[in-house]
Amino acid sequence: MLANPYDAGAWSTLGVLLRRSGKLNEAIVCHNRALEYAPENASIWTNLGNALTGAGRLMEAVAAQEEALRREPYNRTAMFNAVVSLRQAGRFAEALAMIERAGGPAADPALRWERALVRLQIGDYVHGFDDYAGRRSLPSYNGRRATRPAWDGKALDGRSVFLTAEQGLGDALLMARYLPLVKALGGRVLYEGHEEFRRLLSGPEIDEYRNWGGPVDGDVEASQMDLPGLLGTTLASIPPPVRLRVPEEARRKATKILGVREPGTLRVGIVWSGRVTFADNARRATSLAPFLRFAEISGVRLYSLQKGPPEAELAELGPAQRLIVPLGPELEDFADTAAMVEQLDLVIMTDSSVAHLAGALGKPVWNLLQYVPYWIYGFAGAWTPWYPSMRLFRQGMDLDWRPVFDAAAEALRDEVRRRTGR
Protein backbone atom coordinates (compact mmCIF):
# COMPACT_ATOMS: atom_id res chain seq x y z
CA MET A 1 0.00 0.00 0.00
CA LEU A 2 1.16 3.53 -0.72
CA ALA A 3 1.48 5.83 2.27
CA ASN A 4 -0.52 8.42 0.33
CA PRO A 5 -2.90 6.81 -2.19
CA TYR A 6 -3.41 10.20 -3.86
CA ASP A 7 0.32 10.69 -4.59
CA ALA A 8 0.56 10.63 -8.40
CA GLY A 9 4.35 10.52 -8.35
CA ALA A 10 4.37 7.48 -6.08
CA TRP A 11 1.90 5.64 -8.32
CA SER A 12 4.01 6.36 -11.40
CA THR A 13 7.24 5.35 -9.65
CA LEU A 14 5.59 2.07 -8.72
CA GLY A 15 4.58 1.69 -12.37
CA VAL A 16 8.17 2.17 -13.51
CA LEU A 17 9.39 -0.48 -11.07
CA LEU A 18 6.69 -2.91 -12.21
CA ARG A 19 7.59 -2.34 -15.87
CA ARG A 20 11.25 -3.04 -15.19
CA SER A 21 10.28 -6.31 -13.51
CA GLY A 22 8.20 -7.32 -16.54
CA LYS A 23 4.79 -6.73 -14.95
CA LEU A 24 3.51 -4.55 -17.76
CA ASN A 25 -0.24 -4.73 -17.20
CA GLU A 26 0.17 -3.79 -13.55
CA ALA A 27 2.48 -0.93 -14.57
CA ILE A 28 -0.12 0.43 -16.98
CA VAL A 29 -2.76 0.39 -14.24
CA CYS A 30 -0.45 2.31 -11.89
CA HIS A 31 0.36 5.01 -14.45
CA ASN A 32 -3.31 5.43 -15.28
CA ARG A 33 -4.07 5.78 -11.56
CA ALA A 34 -1.34 8.44 -11.35
CA LEU A 35 -2.96 10.34 -14.22
CA GLU A 36 -6.24 10.47 -12.31
CA TYR A 37 -4.48 12.75 -9.83
CA ALA A 38 -2.05 14.56 -12.16
CA PRO A 39 -3.38 14.48 -15.74
CA GLU A 40 -1.10 17.33 -16.83
CA ASN A 41 2.12 15.59 -15.78
CA ALA A 42 4.18 14.87 -18.91
CA SER A 43 6.52 12.47 -17.11
CA ILE A 44 3.61 10.22 -16.14
CA TRP A 45 2.29 10.23 -19.71
CA THR A 46 5.67 9.21 -21.11
CA ASN A 47 6.06 6.51 -18.45
CA LEU A 48 2.66 5.19 -19.46
CA GLY A 49 3.78 5.22 -23.09
CA ASN A 50 6.83 3.14 -22.23
CA ALA A 51 4.71 0.52 -20.46
CA LEU A 52 2.24 0.41 -23.35
CA THR A 53 5.10 -0.06 -25.81
CA GLY A 54 6.45 -2.94 -23.75
CA ALA A 55 2.98 -4.52 -23.68
CA GLY A 56 2.66 -4.28 -27.46
CA ARG A 57 -0.20 -1.77 -27.35
CA LEU A 58 1.58 0.29 -29.95
CA MET A 59 -1.06 2.79 -31.08
CA GLU A 60 -1.89 3.63 -27.48
CA ALA A 61 1.81 3.97 -26.70
CA VAL A 62 2.37 6.52 -29.46
CA ALA A 63 -0.73 8.43 -28.33
CA ALA A 64 0.58 8.56 -24.75
CA GLN A 65 3.94 9.90 -25.90
CA GLU A 66 2.15 12.52 -28.00
CA GLU A 67 0.21 13.56 -24.88
CA ALA A 68 3.47 13.94 -22.96
CA LEU A 69 4.90 16.18 -25.67
CA ARG A 70 1.71 18.22 -25.97
CA ARG A 71 2.17 19.15 -22.34
CA GLU A 72 5.95 19.60 -22.46
CA PRO A 73 7.05 20.03 -26.11
CA TYR A 74 10.77 20.26 -25.21
CA ASN A 75 10.95 17.34 -22.79
CA ARG A 76 13.96 15.41 -24.14
CA THR A 77 13.12 12.24 -22.24
CA ALA A 78 9.64 12.22 -23.73
CA MET A 79 11.07 12.88 -27.20
CA PHE A 80 13.43 9.92 -26.91
CA ASN A 81 10.66 7.68 -25.62
CA ALA A 82 8.48 8.84 -28.51
CA VAL A 83 11.22 7.80 -30.95
CA VAL A 84 11.25 4.28 -29.51
CA SER A 85 7.45 4.03 -29.59
CA LEU A 86 7.26 5.30 -33.16
CA ARG A 87 9.96 2.89 -34.35
CA GLN A 88 8.31 -0.09 -32.71
CA ALA A 89 5.00 0.97 -34.22
CA GLY A 90 6.59 0.98 -37.68
CA ARG A 91 6.19 4.74 -38.13
CA PHE A 92 9.71 5.23 -39.36
CA ALA A 93 9.48 8.63 -41.07
CA GLU A 94 7.95 10.10 -37.90
CA ALA A 95 10.65 8.46 -35.78
CA LEU A 96 13.38 10.07 -37.92
CA ALA A 97 11.66 13.45 -37.66
CA MET A 98 11.41 13.09 -33.88
CA ILE A 99 15.12 12.26 -33.66
CA GLU A 100 15.91 15.55 -35.39
CA ARG A 101 13.43 17.39 -33.17
CA ALA A 102 15.23 15.96 -30.14
CA GLY A 103 18.55 17.37 -31.35
CA GLY A 104 19.88 14.33 -33.18
CA PRO A 105 22.94 12.29 -32.15
CA ALA A 106 24.71 15.41 -30.93
CA ALA A 107 22.17 15.62 -28.12
CA ASP A 108 22.29 11.94 -27.13
CA PRO A 109 24.32 9.00 -28.51
CA ALA A 110 21.26 6.80 -27.95
CA LEU A 111 19.47 8.82 -30.62
CA ARG A 112 22.18 7.83 -33.09
CA TRP A 113 21.55 4.18 -32.27
CA GLU A 114 17.81 4.65 -32.75
CA ARG A 115 18.49 6.36 -36.07
CA ALA A 116 20.68 3.42 -37.10
CA LEU A 117 17.88 0.96 -36.35
CA VAL A 118 15.36 3.00 -38.35
CA ARG A 119 17.65 3.55 -41.31
CA LEU A 120 18.63 -0.11 -41.52
CA GLN A 121 14.99 -1.17 -41.22
CA ILE A 122 14.01 0.94 -44.24
CA GLY A 123 17.02 -0.23 -46.26
CA ASP A 124 19.11 2.95 -46.01
CA TYR A 125 22.28 0.95 -45.47
CA VAL A 126 24.73 3.67 -46.50
CA HIS A 127 23.69 5.96 -43.64
CA GLY A 128 22.44 3.20 -41.36
CA PHE A 129 25.78 1.42 -41.08
CA ASP A 130 27.49 4.73 -40.40
CA ASP A 131 25.15 5.30 -37.45
CA TYR A 132 25.51 1.67 -36.37
CA ALA A 133 29.00 2.45 -35.11
CA GLY A 134 27.35 4.60 -32.45
CA ARG A 135 26.45 1.50 -30.43
CA ARG A 136 29.90 1.69 -28.84
CA SER A 137 28.90 4.88 -27.05
CA LEU A 138 25.96 3.24 -25.31
CA PRO A 139 26.30 2.30 -21.62
CA SER A 140 24.74 -1.07 -22.49
CA TYR A 141 27.39 -1.91 -25.11
CA ASN A 142 28.96 -5.24 -24.20
CA GLY A 143 31.19 -5.89 -27.19
CA ARG A 144 34.95 -6.11 -26.98
CA ARG A 145 36.65 -2.75 -26.60
CA ALA A 146 39.27 -2.16 -29.29
CA THR A 147 42.92 -2.43 -28.26
CA ARG A 148 44.52 -2.51 -31.73
CA PRO A 149 44.31 0.10 -34.52
CA ALA A 150 40.92 0.06 -36.19
CA TRP A 151 40.82 -1.47 -39.66
CA ASP A 152 39.48 0.89 -42.34
CA GLY A 153 38.25 -1.80 -44.74
CA LYS A 154 41.04 -1.16 -47.25
CA ALA A 155 43.58 -3.61 -48.70
CA LEU A 156 45.52 -5.43 -46.00
CA ASP A 157 48.72 -5.91 -48.04
CA GLY A 158 50.00 -8.74 -45.91
CA ARG A 159 48.88 -7.35 -42.56
CA SER A 160 46.84 -9.43 -40.13
CA VAL A 161 43.33 -8.39 -39.13
CA PHE A 162 41.74 -9.51 -35.89
CA LEU A 163 37.98 -9.96 -36.38
CA THR A 164 35.76 -10.53 -33.40
CA ALA A 165 32.22 -11.85 -33.28
CA GLU A 166 29.74 -9.54 -31.60
CA GLN A 167 26.14 -9.82 -30.42
CA GLY A 168 24.29 -13.12 -30.87
CA LEU A 169 24.93 -16.43 -32.60
CA GLY A 170 22.64 -15.46 -35.47
CA ASP A 171 24.57 -12.24 -36.01
CA ALA A 172 27.82 -14.21 -36.25
CA LEU A 173 26.38 -16.47 -38.95
CA LEU A 174 24.88 -13.49 -40.77
CA MET A 175 28.20 -11.65 -40.89
CA ALA A 176 30.31 -14.70 -41.72
CA ARG A 177 29.53 -13.99 -45.39
CA TYR A 178 32.09 -11.18 -45.22
CA LEU A 179 35.01 -13.42 -44.21
CA PRO A 180 35.94 -14.42 -47.80
CA LEU A 181 35.81 -10.76 -48.82
CA VAL A 182 38.18 -9.79 -46.02
CA LYS A 183 40.54 -12.64 -46.88
CA ALA A 184 40.57 -11.53 -50.52
CA LEU A 185 42.07 -8.19 -49.45
CA GLY A 186 45.45 -9.83 -48.99
CA GLY A 187 46.08 -10.40 -45.32
CA ARG A 188 45.81 -12.93 -42.52
CA VAL A 189 42.41 -13.30 -40.88
CA LEU A 190 42.44 -14.02 -37.16
CA TYR A 191 38.86 -14.79 -36.26
CA GLU A 192 37.58 -14.73 -32.69
CA GLY A 193 34.30 -16.62 -32.79
CA HIS A 194 31.88 -18.83 -30.93
CA GLU A 195 33.04 -22.38 -30.29
CA GLU A 196 29.67 -23.62 -31.56
CA PHE A 197 30.69 -22.55 -35.10
CA ARG A 198 34.27 -23.80 -35.20
CA ARG A 199 33.56 -26.89 -37.29
CA LEU A 200 31.27 -25.01 -39.70
CA LEU A 201 33.44 -21.96 -40.33
CA SER A 202 36.94 -23.42 -40.33
CA GLY A 203 38.10 -22.93 -43.91
CA PRO A 204 40.52 -21.04 -46.17
CA GLU A 205 38.94 -17.66 -45.39
CA ILE A 206 40.12 -17.96 -41.76
CA ASP A 207 43.80 -18.37 -40.94
CA GLU A 208 43.28 -18.84 -37.22
CA TYR A 209 40.03 -19.57 -35.39
CA ARG A 210 40.18 -18.29 -31.82
CA ASN A 211 37.81 -18.89 -28.92
CA TRP A 212 36.04 -15.73 -27.90
CA GLY A 213 37.54 -13.84 -24.97
CA GLY A 214 41.24 -14.56 -25.42
CA PRO A 215 44.08 -12.07 -26.01
CA VAL A 216 43.98 -9.76 -29.02
CA ASP A 217 46.76 -9.53 -31.55
CA GLY A 218 47.07 -8.62 -35.21
CA ASP A 219 48.04 -5.41 -36.97
CA VAL A 220 44.48 -4.06 -37.08
CA GLU A 221 41.12 -5.15 -35.72
CA ALA A 222 37.40 -4.83 -36.38
CA SER A 223 34.13 -6.20 -35.11
CA GLN A 224 32.29 -8.52 -37.45
CA MET A 225 29.28 -6.19 -37.15
CA ASP A 226 31.36 -3.38 -38.68
CA LEU A 227 32.04 -5.30 -41.90
CA PRO A 228 28.93 -4.31 -43.89
CA GLY A 229 29.76 -0.64 -43.40
CA LEU A 230 33.50 -1.04 -43.94
CA LEU A 231 32.92 -2.92 -47.19
CA GLY A 232 30.26 -0.56 -48.53
CA THR A 233 27.19 -2.81 -48.42
CA THR A 234 24.01 -1.54 -50.06
CA LEU A 235 20.73 -3.30 -50.77
CA ALA A 236 22.09 -4.05 -54.24
CA SER A 237 25.46 -5.41 -53.11
CA ILE A 238 24.71 -7.86 -50.30
CA PRO A 239 27.22 -10.74 -50.57
CA PRO A 240 25.87 -14.30 -50.59
CA PRO A 241 25.94 -16.38 -47.40
CA VAL A 242 29.27 -17.98 -46.52
CA ARG A 243 29.79 -21.60 -47.57
CA LEU A 244 29.34 -23.70 -44.43
CA ARG A 245 31.46 -26.82 -44.14
CA VAL A 246 29.32 -29.56 -42.67
CA PRO A 247 31.60 -32.38 -41.43
CA GLU A 248 30.95 -35.85 -42.82
CA GLU A 249 30.83 -37.29 -39.32
CA ALA A 250 27.98 -34.89 -38.50
CA ARG A 251 26.15 -36.00 -41.65
CA ARG A 252 26.54 -39.67 -40.74
CA LYS A 253 25.23 -38.94 -37.26
CA ALA A 254 22.19 -37.12 -38.69
CA THR A 255 21.45 -39.95 -41.13
CA LYS A 256 21.53 -42.49 -38.31
CA ILE A 257 19.26 -40.43 -36.04
CA LEU A 258 16.72 -39.46 -38.70
CA GLY A 259 16.52 -42.97 -40.10
CA VAL A 260 14.70 -44.04 -43.23
CA ARG A 261 12.34 -41.46 -44.67
CA GLU A 262 8.67 -42.38 -44.53
CA PRO A 263 7.41 -42.34 -48.15
CA GLY A 264 5.19 -39.43 -49.17
CA THR A 265 5.99 -37.26 -46.17
CA LEU A 266 7.71 -33.94 -45.52
CA ARG A 267 10.29 -33.66 -42.77
CA VAL A 268 9.71 -30.26 -41.17
CA GLY A 269 12.01 -28.85 -38.51
CA ILE A 270 10.59 -26.43 -35.96
CA VAL A 271 12.06 -23.86 -33.54
CA TRP A 272 9.76 -21.72 -31.40
CA SER A 273 12.19 -19.66 -29.31
CA GLY A 274 15.59 -18.07 -29.50
CA ARG A 275 17.94 -17.47 -26.59
CA VAL A 276 15.73 -16.69 -23.59
CA THR A 277 18.24 -14.17 -22.18
CA PHE A 278 17.94 -12.00 -25.30
CA ALA A 279 16.02 -8.86 -24.36
CA ASP A 280 13.66 -8.97 -27.34
CA ASN A 281 13.02 -12.72 -27.27
CA ALA A 282 9.56 -12.36 -25.75
CA ARG A 283 8.47 -10.38 -28.82
CA ARG A 284 9.99 -12.64 -31.46
CA ALA A 285 9.26 -16.05 -29.87
CA THR A 286 6.14 -18.08 -29.16
CA SER A 287 5.45 -21.26 -27.23
CA LEU A 288 5.49 -24.72 -28.78
CA ALA A 289 1.67 -24.95 -28.79
CA PRO A 290 0.95 -23.02 -32.04
CA PHE A 291 3.38 -25.24 -33.95
CA LEU A 292 1.29 -28.33 -33.17
CA ARG A 293 -1.21 -27.34 -35.84
CA PHE A 294 1.41 -28.21 -38.46
CA ALA A 295 1.28 -31.81 -37.21
CA GLU A 296 -2.43 -31.86 -38.13
CA ILE A 297 -1.54 -31.68 -41.81
CA SER A 298 -1.46 -35.06 -43.51
CA GLY A 299 2.02 -35.93 -44.71
CA VAL A 300 3.89 -33.65 -42.29
CA ARG A 301 6.34 -35.00 -39.72
CA LEU A 302 7.75 -32.55 -37.19
CA TYR A 303 11.32 -32.54 -35.84
CA SER A 304 12.28 -30.21 -33.00
CA LEU A 305 15.57 -28.34 -33.43
CA GLN A 306 14.88 -26.36 -30.26
CA LYS A 307 17.67 -25.95 -27.71
CA GLY A 308 17.74 -24.41 -24.25
CA PRO A 309 15.03 -24.05 -21.58
CA PRO A 310 12.09 -24.02 -24.08
CA GLU A 311 12.90 -27.67 -24.90
CA ALA A 312 11.06 -28.53 -21.68
CA GLU A 313 7.77 -27.75 -23.42
CA LEU A 314 8.11 -31.01 -25.35
CA ALA A 315 7.88 -33.06 -22.18
CA GLU A 316 4.82 -31.08 -21.10
CA LEU A 317 2.90 -32.47 -24.08
CA GLY A 318 2.57 -35.84 -22.37
CA PRO A 319 1.69 -38.62 -24.82
CA ALA A 320 1.32 -36.03 -27.62
CA GLN A 321 5.09 -35.47 -27.57
CA ARG A 322 5.32 -38.48 -29.87
CA LEU A 323 4.07 -36.18 -32.62
CA ILE A 324 7.47 -34.43 -32.61
CA VAL A 325 10.89 -36.04 -32.90
CA PRO A 326 13.19 -34.25 -30.39
CA LEU A 327 16.55 -33.59 -32.04
CA GLY A 328 17.79 -31.05 -29.48
CA PRO A 329 19.51 -33.60 -27.20
CA GLU A 330 21.59 -34.81 -30.17
CA LEU A 331 22.87 -31.35 -31.17
CA GLU A 332 26.29 -30.67 -29.63
CA ASP A 333 27.14 -27.71 -31.87
CA PHE A 334 25.89 -25.97 -34.98
CA ALA A 335 27.63 -28.50 -37.24
CA ASP A 336 25.29 -31.14 -35.84
CA THR A 337 22.33 -28.81 -36.36
CA ALA A 338 23.44 -28.06 -39.92
CA ALA A 339 23.66 -31.77 -40.75
CA MET A 340 20.12 -32.29 -39.49
CA VAL A 341 18.79 -29.27 -41.41
CA GLU A 342 20.40 -30.58 -44.62
CA GLN A 343 18.27 -33.72 -44.37
CA LEU A 344 15.00 -31.95 -43.58
CA ASP A 345 12.70 -30.65 -46.30
CA LEU A 346 11.77 -27.40 -44.58
CA VAL A 347 12.30 -25.48 -41.34
CA ILE A 348 9.46 -23.39 -39.86
CA MET A 349 10.42 -21.19 -36.93
CA THR A 350 10.31 -17.90 -35.13
CA ASP A 351 13.43 -15.83 -35.74
CA SER A 352 16.67 -17.01 -34.11
CA SER A 353 20.11 -18.33 -35.05
CA VAL A 354 18.77 -21.49 -36.75
CA ALA A 355 17.06 -19.25 -39.34
CA HIS A 356 20.46 -17.87 -40.28
CA LEU A 357 21.89 -21.38 -40.35
CA ALA A 358 19.18 -22.73 -42.66
CA GLY A 359 19.41 -19.64 -44.85
CA ALA A 360 23.19 -19.99 -45.13
CA LEU A 361 22.76 -23.64 -46.13
CA GLY A 362 20.27 -22.61 -48.81
CA LYS A 363 17.55 -24.80 -47.27
CA PRO A 364 13.91 -23.69 -47.39
CA VAL A 365 13.13 -21.89 -44.14
CA TRP A 366 9.91 -20.12 -43.23
CA ASN A 367 10.57 -17.37 -40.72
CA LEU A 368 7.61 -16.24 -38.60
CA LEU A 369 8.36 -12.62 -37.74
CA GLN A 370 7.31 -10.12 -35.13
CA TYR A 371 5.77 -6.86 -36.37
CA VAL A 372 9.03 -4.87 -36.46
CA PRO A 373 11.64 -7.61 -36.89
CA TYR A 374 15.42 -7.66 -37.12
CA TRP A 375 16.50 -5.10 -39.69
CA ILE A 376 17.67 -7.57 -42.39
CA TYR A 377 14.01 -8.51 -42.92
CA GLY A 378 12.88 -4.96 -43.67
CA PHE A 379 9.26 -4.13 -42.94
CA ALA A 380 7.27 -5.60 -45.81
CA GLY A 381 7.32 -8.43 -48.29
CA ALA A 382 7.82 -12.18 -48.15
CA TRP A 383 11.54 -12.30 -48.95
CA THR A 384 14.89 -10.93 -47.77
CA PRO A 385 17.91 -10.34 -50.02
CA TRP A 386 20.14 -11.67 -47.22
CA TYR A 387 18.82 -15.24 -47.59
CA PRO A 388 17.27 -16.23 -50.94
CA SER A 389 15.84 -19.52 -49.59
CA MET A 390 13.94 -17.81 -46.75
CA ARG A 391 10.24 -16.98 -46.86
CA LEU A 392 8.83 -14.45 -44.39
CA PHE A 393 5.46 -14.55 -42.60
CA ARG A 394 4.78 -11.28 -40.77
CA GLN A 395 2.74 -10.18 -37.77
CA GLY A 396 0.40 -7.23 -38.10
CA MET A 397 0.44 -4.22 -35.83
CA ASP A 398 -1.84 -6.03 -33.38
CA LEU A 399 1.08 -8.44 -32.70
CA ASP A 400 -1.31 -11.38 -33.06
CA TRP A 401 0.45 -14.64 -33.97
CA ARG A 402 -2.73 -16.42 -35.06
CA PRO A 403 -2.89 -14.97 -38.60
CA VAL A 404 0.82 -15.75 -39.01
CA PHE A 405 0.29 -19.41 -38.17
CA ASP A 406 -2.88 -19.49 -40.29
CA ALA A 407 -0.90 -18.31 -43.31
CA ALA A 408 1.99 -20.71 -42.64
CA ALA A 409 -0.36 -23.68 -42.20
CA GLU A 410 -2.12 -22.94 -45.48
CA ALA A 411 1.24 -22.57 -47.23
CA LEU A 412 2.36 -25.88 -45.72
CA ARG A 413 -0.73 -27.65 -47.07
CA ASP A 414 0.14 -26.27 -50.50
CA GLU A 415 3.74 -27.43 -50.09
CA VAL A 416 2.64 -30.95 -49.19
CA ARG A 417 0.38 -31.07 -52.24
CA ARG A 418 3.16 -29.78 -54.47
CA ARG A 419 5.76 -32.24 -53.22
CA THR A 420 3.72 -35.36 -52.54
CA GLY A 421 0.50 -34.97 -54.49
CA ARG A 422 -1.60 -35.37 -51.31
Side-chain angles (χ1 to χ4, degrees):
M1 295 289 293
L2 297 180
N4 179 3
Y6 306 105
D7 187 335
W11 278 113
S12 193
T13 298
L14 178 58
V16 170
L17 294 174
L18 287 167
R19 177 176 66 85
R20 290 175 180 171
S21 64
K23 297 179 179 179
L24 296 168
N25 292 329
E26 294 91 333
I28 291 167
V29 171
C30 287
H31 293 310
N32 277 311
R33 179 65 60 85
L35 288 170
E36 290 182 21
Y37 306 121
E40 297 301 317
N41 189 307
S43 294
I44 298 174
W45 277 107
T46 195
N47 287 339
L48 172 62
N50 291 344
L52 289 165
T53 298
R57 293 163 60 175
L58 302 178
M59 293 181 66
E60 295 174 78
V62 171
Q65 303 296 359
E66 289 173 345
E67 282 295 324
L69 289 170
R70 187 171 71 82
R71 287 163 170 77
E72 291 187 20
Y74 303 105
N75 185 318
R76 290 192 178 277
T77 298
M79 283 189 274
F80 177 81
N81 292 339
V83 168
V84 175
S85 293
L86 288 164
R87 175 176 59 78
Q88 294 200 17
R91 294 164 62 167
F92 302 120
E94 293 170 78
L96 289 173
M98 185 62 68
I99 288 170
E100 296 309 308
R101 174 178 167 182
D108 183 353
L111 288 171
R112 186 183 182 193
W113 175 243
E114 285 293 321
R115 191 170 68 178
L117 296 178
V118 173
R119 285 173 162 176
L120 292 175
Q121 197 82 54
I122 63 177
D124 181 6
Y125 288 175
V126 172
H127 298 102
F129 286 126
D130 180 63
D131 278 340
Y132 201 74
R135 68 194 185 281
R136 291 189 173 85
S137 299
L138 300 177
S140 59
Y141 179 68
N142 60 2
R144 181 189 278 281
R145 299 292 178 179
T147 59
R148 311 295 293 175
W151 181 46
D152 60 5
K154 307 300 184 188
L156 289 164
D157 296 326
R159 293 177 297 164
S160 59
V161 56
F162 184 90
L163 295 179
T164 182
E166 183 191 339
Q167 300 180 22
L169 295 170
D171 300 286
L173 276 176
L174 173 69
M175 295 302 163
R177 70 188 65 218
Y178 290 96
L179 294 172
L181 302 182
V182 176
K183 181 62 180 172
L185 291 173
R188 296 184 71 245
V189 176
L190 314 177
Y191 181 68
E192 179 187 52
H194 303 278
E195 183 62 24
E196 295 95 326
F197 295 135
R198 181 183 288 274
R199 289 200 291 166
L200 280 180
L201 295 181
S202 294
E205 60 270 13
I206 297 176
D207 293 284
E208 292 184 33
Y209 196 110
R210 312 277 187 84
N211 287 339
W212 202 93
V216 178
D217 56 10
D219 298 304
V220 291
E221 71 170 296
S223 164
Q224 209 175 355
M225 299 304 295
D226 292 325
L227 296 180
L230 289 173
L231 299 177
T233 303
T234 66
L235 271 175
S237 65
I238 297 169
V242 69
R243 176 176 172 267
L244 301 177
R245 293 166 177 83
V246 183
E248 286 305 317
E249 61 268 23
R251 288 184 169 130
R252 289 191 294 269
K253 175 181 174 180
T255 299
K256 180 179 179 181
I257 292 169
L258 292 172
V260 177
R261 176 187 292 272
E262 186 180 349
T265 61
L266 259 67
R267 290 173 163 176
V268 178
I270 58 171
V271 181
W272 55 94
S273 177
R275 179 167 45 91
V276 295
T277 55
F278 175 58
D280 203 37
N281 194 61
R283 292 180 187 272
R284 67 177 184 175
T286 68
S287 65
L288 168 60
F291 284 82
L292 292 176
R293 66 181 303 176
F294 300 139
E296 301 172 8
I297 300 171
S298 179
V300 170
R301 302 294 181 264
L302 297 183
Y303 296 80
S304 170
L305 297 164
Q306 184 66 54
K307 294 287 288 182
E311 279 185 275
E313 294 181 49
L314 287 166
E316 295 168 5
L317 293 177
Q321 66 186 282
R322 293 179 180 145
L323 295 169
I324 304 171
V325 178
L327 299 179
E330 309 294 340
L331 307 178
E332 297 180 17
D333 65 2
F334 273 80
D336 282 343
T337 307
M340 295 291 186
V341 169
E342 280 187 329
Q343 298 189 40
L344 300 176
D345 298 301
L346 171 67
V347 176
I348 306 178
M349 60 181 298
T350 56
D351 190 37
S352 68
S353 56
V354 176
H356 297 272
L357 178 70
L361 290 168
K363 293 293 293 188
V365 52
W366 294 358
N367 205 349
L368 314 181
L369 298 177
Q370 67 191 85
Y371 179 57
V372 177
Y374 191 39
W375 56 266
I376 68 167
Y377 306 123
F379 190 58
W383 310 98
T384 171
W386 292 86
Y387 293 115
S389 69
M390 183 179 290
R391 181 176 176 182
L392 309 176
F393 294 78
R394 299 178 182 272
Q395 271 186 342
M397 192 177 183
D398 58 5
L399 309 189
D400 188 353
W401 282 112
R402 286 173 295 178
V404 181
F405 280 88
D406 288 344
E410 185 58 35
L412 186 55
R413 291 187 187 94
D414 291 341
E415 189 72 8
V416 171
R417 285 192 288 267
R418 184 180 72 82
R419 295 204 191 196
T420 70
R422 290 197 181 199

